[in-house]
Amino acid sequence: MTLRVKVILLFSVITIPLVCFLLYTNHYSSQVVRKQVANYNSALLTLYGDQIDQTLENGSSYLYKLANQEPLIRSLVYTLDNKDRYTITLSQVVNKLYSDSTYNTSFYLNFVYNPFNQDLIMVQTSQKSFQESSQSEQYIKRLFSPNEASNLQAFVEGWRHCRIGNEQYLLRIVETDTNTYVGALIRNDDLLLPLQSVSEERHMEAFFLDRKGEWLTTAPPDTADAVSAVIHAKTKSYQTVRGEERYLLVQHTLRLADLEIITLIPENVILQQVPLFQRISYAVPFAAALVLFFLLVNLQKLVLRPIHYLIKGMRQISKGNLDTRLSTNLSHEFSLISATFNSMASQIQDLKISMYEEEIRSHKAELKQLQLQMNPHFLYNSLNIIYNLAEARKYDLIQRMSSHMVNYLRFFARLREHSIHIWEEMDNIEHYIEIQKLRFPKHLEYDFDIEDSLKNVRIPPLTIHPFVENALKHGFTTGKSVFQVKVRIHRITDGITDFCEITIENNGKKFPAQLVESLSGLMETSSFTREHTGIWSVYNQLKIFYRGQAGMSFSNLDSHGVAVTVRIPMQSDGGEFPDV
């Protein structure tokens, strides 16, 4: 776990509980205020709702009294056969309704309907227009048509809301014992007017909805859908709903009508009553985050960044990059640490260079000794071939054999050089194979494929020769098939560096699986290096001269035979190898 993470965790352990506590107290106090406001407004709605229910109850009582106790209403039926008397009765009924309207101020209009001759007597004290009166008359007459019997029955049972034109009303109809009807309309806005005047003072809104949650206004608020869902679900009497902003919804169900009264109170109005320190607690998390940010910025600059550079430098040193140095332009403490680090890195670099040079000198001596060694059996066999050819008087073959031997031995006399051209090594290998062909005629063939641009590339001496010699020593048999040795030298690239890839193939015995899978491990095994001195010599030459950039691998071919691949970085003509 990094120091930065530890600091953040420590700060979080201290501040998060404090912030959570402040947020909880703020939430709790807000809930208390909401509940108090909800209870107050619930009581207010109950008060106004009871007043509305009382108004509706008074209206119902008046209509029952008018229907059952007023003799003029009965006379409408009894005087039907006498037109004059009926007209006088109509006039008396109208006067009665007008005189009663002074006591029933909540009525928008009241009416008497005689179904026997379809007469509708309406009294409307606050008529706005002829069109409004005409719409009311048409609506009431339509209710008494045979097709509207079910709707009529609903209004007979109690106060029900209805829409006439653009206005919403409560309508109640009472049937008399003479089968005539009396009724009254009350405007919803008139019932809601006292509550709306109080709501405006308190910055809230009041509305009527039916019990299914349908709005009885032409301009519902932006929370209309959320309020309708609450009303339809019949949840608790107050709840928070969301529109463009949050509102506290308080509702009350009227007892004598199919209506709900609701008030919507904006949250910002409610929370104005919350104490200042509780509202400030909203800013505490942001303040804590800001403090943490500045703390981390300064911690990053003063502590974390120098530690990061120190760790980065240590990782570079562990990778072998001993040239790594740290800046000392820091605080006093980290400047001292950086200076000490730089001094230690310099000492390690000097020590490693000394040890590396000593190791190179030791390896160079071993390699030089190996290079100067020549297989005595090869020399004895070669001289024996010359002797046999002399006995057979095959002077042309003696000349060829002697020429190849001279050139082959001359090459070993030049092994004191650090590097040779590829063509020189391949020329020596060709002499070696030609000598072997004189020993085993018709059993040995070879093929060289060398890219012209690579012939003058310089490589360490005896980089290719040991693999050709091992191929003849371990893979060659004098069977029916011809033993073939192929050497291919081509240029390849990994996108960054160009390499000279040397592949030596033969169709002899395959390599052991361990040699193919773990070459580097075998190179550290003394038993393997004693038996394969040539391979070990090439492996160490590549490791020393190219400092880990060269590579060597062994593989078995799919059909038969084996391949050795040596990949070395390009060295142009005249190029020098690392100074060893």
Side-chain angles (χ1 to χ4, degrees), residues 13-221:
V13 167
I14 296 173
T15 57
I16 287 178
L18 177 61
V19 170
C20 291
F21 176 74
L22 290 173
L23 291 175
Y24 171 76
T25 56
N26 181 69
H27 174 74
Y28 177 76
S29 60
S30 299
Q31 289 295 101
V32 170
V33 171
R34 286 191 190 96
K35 187 173 182 179
Q36 290 176 347
V37 172
N39 290 337
Y40 174 81
N41 283 275
S42 180
L44 184 65
L45 282 185
T46 301
L47 176 63
Y48 279 96
D50 290 345
Q51 290 180 0
I52 293 173
D53 283 331
Q54 186 62 48
T55 299
L56 297 178
E57 187 174 1
N58 293 338
S60 296
S61 298
Y62 167 76
L63 291 177
Y64 277 116
K65 183 178 179 181
L66 184 66
N68 297 315
Q69 299 180 13
E70 180 56 51
L72 290 174
I73 302 302
R74 289 188 177 87
S75 299
L76 290 175
V77 177
Y78 301 147
T79 58
L80 280 174
D81 55 349
N82 189 323
K83 184 176 182 181
D84 292 335
R85 289 183 61 192
Y86 182 77
T87 302
I88 294 172
T89 303
L90 282 179
S91 177
Q92 291 175 336
V93 169
V94 170
N95 291 333
K96 172 63 177 175
L97 294 178
Y98 269 113
S99 64
D100 290 346
S101 64
T102 57
Y103 303 104
N104 300 312
T105 55
S106 60
F107 285 180
Y108 173 69
L109 66 80
N110 53 354
F111 63 89
V112 176
Y113 181 75
N114 188 350
F116 299 103
N117 59 359
Q118 298 181 353
D119 271 349
L120 176 63
I121 306 166
M122 291 196 320
V123 171
Q124 184 176 359
T125 58
S126 58
Q127 178 179 336
K128 291 184 178 180
S129 65
F130 175 78
Q131 182 182 3
E132 187 178 89
S133 177
S134 177
Q135 289 176 344
S136 300
E137 182 179 357
Q138 291 174 8
Y139 182 83
I140 295 171
K141 284 186 175 181
R142 188 167 60 250
L143 276 178
F144 292 100
S145 64
N147 296 333
E148 297 288 335
S150 59
N151 289 336
L152 176 62
Q153 185 58 36
F155 292 110
V156 171
E157 291 174 357
W159 291 95
R160 297 292 183 268
H161 74 276
C162 62
R163 177 187 292 274
I164 301 176
N166 294 326
E167 295 289 342
Q168 292 283 347
Y169 300 89
L170 284 177
L171 172 60
R172 179 66 198 275
I173 299 174
V174 176
E175 185 177 4
T176 70
D177 54 1
T178 57
N179 295 326
T180 57
Y181 296 89
V182 296
L185 278 175
I186 301 177
R187 283 166 52 100
N188 287 4
D189 290 346
D190 293 339
L191 293 175
L192 205 58
L193 188 60
L195 181 59
Q196 285 180 333
S197 61
V198 175
S199 299
E200 289 177 1
E201 294 176 2
R202 298 179 177 275
H203 305 286
M204 60 186 189
E205 297 177 281
F207 299 95
F208 273 133
L209 284 79
D210 66 16
R211 293 185 180 179
K212 295 181 180 179
E214 296 295 329
W215 288 81
L216 306 181
T217 178
T218 56

Side-chain angles (χ1 to χ4, degrees), residues 464-519:
I464 308 173
H465 183 277
F467 299 109
V468 176
E469 185 176 347
N470 280 346
L472 293 173
K473 181 179 178 181
H474 300 288
F476 176 68
T477 56
T478 56
K480 294 182 179 180
S481 61
V482 177
F483 186 74
Q484 296 178 338
V485 177
K486 298 180 181 179
V487 179
R488 293 183 286 107
I489 303 176
H490 294 280
R491 182 191 302 266
I492 64 170
T493 181
D494 61 0
I496 301 175
T497 306
D498 287 343
F499 291 90
C500 176
E501 186 177 79
I502 304 168
T503 304
I504 304 99
E505 297 179 358
N506 68 75
N507 60 347
K509 299 178 182 178
K510 292 192 174 184
F511 289 131
Q514 186 180 10
L515 181 62
V516 175
E517 295 172 359
S518 180
L519 175 63

Side-chain angles (χ1 to χ4, degrees), residues 105-346:
T105 55
S106 60
F107 285 180
Y108 173 69
L109 66 80
N110 53 354
F111 63 89
V112 176
Y113 181 75
N114 188 350
F116 299 103
N117 59 359
Q118 298 181 353
D119 271 349
L120 176 63
I121 306 166
M122 291 196 320
V123 171
Q124 184 176 359
T125 58
S126 58
Q127 178 179 336
K128 291 184 178 180
S129 65
F130 175 78
Q131 182 182 3
E132 187 178 89
S133 177
S134 177
Q135 289 176 344
S136 300
E137 182 179 357
Q138 291 174 8
Y139 182 83
I140 295 171
K141 284 186 175 181
R142 188 167 60 250
L143 276 178
F144 292 100
S145 64
N147 296 333
E148 297 288 335
S150 59
N151 289 336
L152 176 62
Q153 185 58 36
F155 292 110
V156 171
E157 291 174 357
W159 291 95
R160 297 292 183 268
H161 74 276
C162 62
R163 177 187 292 274
I164 301 176
N166 294 326
E167 295 289 342
Q168 292 283 347
Y169 300 89
L170 284 177
L171 172 60
R172 179 66 198 275
I173 299 174
V174 176
E175 185 177 4
T176 70
D177 54 1
T178 57
N179 295 326
T180 57
Y181 296 89
V182 296
L185 278 175
I186 301 177
R187 283 166 52 100
N188 287 4
D189 290 346
D190 293 339
L191 293 175
L192 205 58
L193 188 60
L195 181 59
Q196 285 180 333
S197 61
V198 175
S199 299
E200 289 177 1
E201 294 176 2
R202 298 179 177 275
H203 305 286
M204 60 186 189
E205 297 177 281
F207 299 95
F208 273 133
L209 284 79
D210 66 16
R211 293 185 180 179
K212 295 181 180 179
E214 296 295 329
W215 288 81
L216 306 181
T217 178
T218 56
D222 58 320
T223 56
D225 293 338
V227 172
S228 297
V230 171
I231 299 298
H232 185 72
K234 300 184 184 303
T235 56
K236 57 186 180 181
S237 60
Y238 69 91
Q239 190 166 328
T240 301
V241 295
R242 183 183 294 275
E244 294 181 358
E245 56 181 299
R246 291 170 62 92
Y247 294 88
L248 179 65
L249 166 66
V250 183
Q251 65 187 85
H252 174 78
T253 302
L254 292 180
R255 181 169 46 88
L256 299 180
D258 59 341
L259 295 181
E260 299 276 345
I261 312 175
I262 68 162
T263 57
L264 291 174
I265 312 161
E267 284 257 311
N268 56 2
V269 174
I270 298 173
L271 297 181
Q272 284 178 354
Q273 304 175 42
V274 178
L276 179 61
F277 81 92
Q278 292 178 331
R279 285 185 288 161
I280 291 176
S281 64
Y282 277 123
V284 169
F286 300 101
L290 192 62
V291 170
L292 178 60
F293 172 75
F294 281 109
L295 177 64
L296 289 178
V297 167
N298 287 278
L299 188 67
Q300 173 78 13
K301 181 179 179 181
L302 298 177
V303 180
L304 298 180
R305 187 178 298 167
I307 290 178
H308 171 72
Y309 289 149
L310 178 61
I311 294 173
K312 186 177 179 181
M314 294 171 65
R315 287 174 177 168
Q316 292 297 320
I317 292 293
S318 66
K319 292 178 181 178
N321 300 325
L322 298 178
D323 294 331
T324 303
R325 297 294 182 270
L326 300 181
S327 172
T328 56
N329 187 23
L330 302 168
S331 62
H332 174 72
E333 293 80 3
F334 281 104
S335 295
L336 179 61
I337 294 174
S338 298
T340 305
F341 176 88
N342 294 340
S343 175
M344 293 175 60
S346 298

Side-chain angles (χ1 to χ4, degrees), residues 522-550:
L522 291 173
M523 289 297 110
E524 306 298 329
T525 306
S526 58
S527 60
F528 180 84
T529 55
R530 282 196 302 269
E531 296 177 5
H532 303 84
T533 306
I535 296 176
W536 179 85
S537 173
V538 175
Y539 181 85
N540 279 278
Q541 280 191 120
L542 297 175
K543 184 177 179 181
I544 293 171
F545 290 152
Y546 297 103
R547 299 185 179 180
Q549 296 182 3

